[in-house]
Amino acid sequence: FKRGRDFAAWLGLTPLQRSTGGKQKLGQISKMGERTLRRLLIIGASAVVKLARRRGASQGRWLERMLARKPPMLVAVALANKMARTVWALMVNGGVYKAPVAAA
């Protein structure tokens, strides 16, 4: 894959685009990709969202801001998309994942 978005699209984690006249309109996720991997990423992301809702996400973090504005399932799919892009970057660069340090 050329970029992380292409990988996420192959998994079926990107929104369908119904754009016309230069105006972008994003719809629901496509679900037209690798079903098993998509399901595993969404299950993992759902667990993270559930834990963040129960314990409270770190102040000012992306997840906390998203949970304040959006429904939990939508946040879980967005997090799965973000995780897929991270996985792609690690595979391409041959890196090792290091969890971000929580700010005190």
Side-chain angles (χ1 to χ4, degrees), residues 8-23:
W10 178 75
L11 289 173
L13 289 170
T14 55
L16 288 171
Q17 292 187 7
R18 290 182 171 86
S19 305
T20 179
K23 190 171 189 179

Side-chain angles (χ1 to χ4, degrees), residues 15-65:
L16 288 171
Q17 292 187 7
R18 290 182 171 86
S19 305
T20 179
K23 190 171 189 179
Q24 282 195 348
K25 295 177 184 176
L26 299 177
Q28 61 190 21
I29 65 165
S30 63
K31 297 183 184 175
M32 298 169 99
E34 175 56 42
R35 182 178 180 182
T36 307
L37 246 89
R38 180 181 60 249
R39 183 179 293 158
L40 289 173
L41 282 168
I42 290 175
I43 289 170
S46 297
V48 171
V49 168
K50 184 177 180 181
L51 188 67
R53 288 182 70 204
R54 190 179 305 157
R55 291 188 184 171
S58 301
Q59 287 289 345
R61 293 280 196 185
W62 176 85
L63 186 58
E64 190 251 344
R65 292 191 313 266

Side-chain angles (χ1 to χ4, degrees), residues 70-100:
K70 303 285 184 185
M73 190 60 195
L74 190 140
V75 174
V77 173
L79 182 59
N81 186 340
K82 196 171 182 180
M83 289 165 49
R85 291 173 183 226
T86 302
V87 166
W88 175 84
L90 289 173
M91 288 190 306
V92 167
N93 298 323
V96 177
Y97 180 73
K98 295 178 185 171

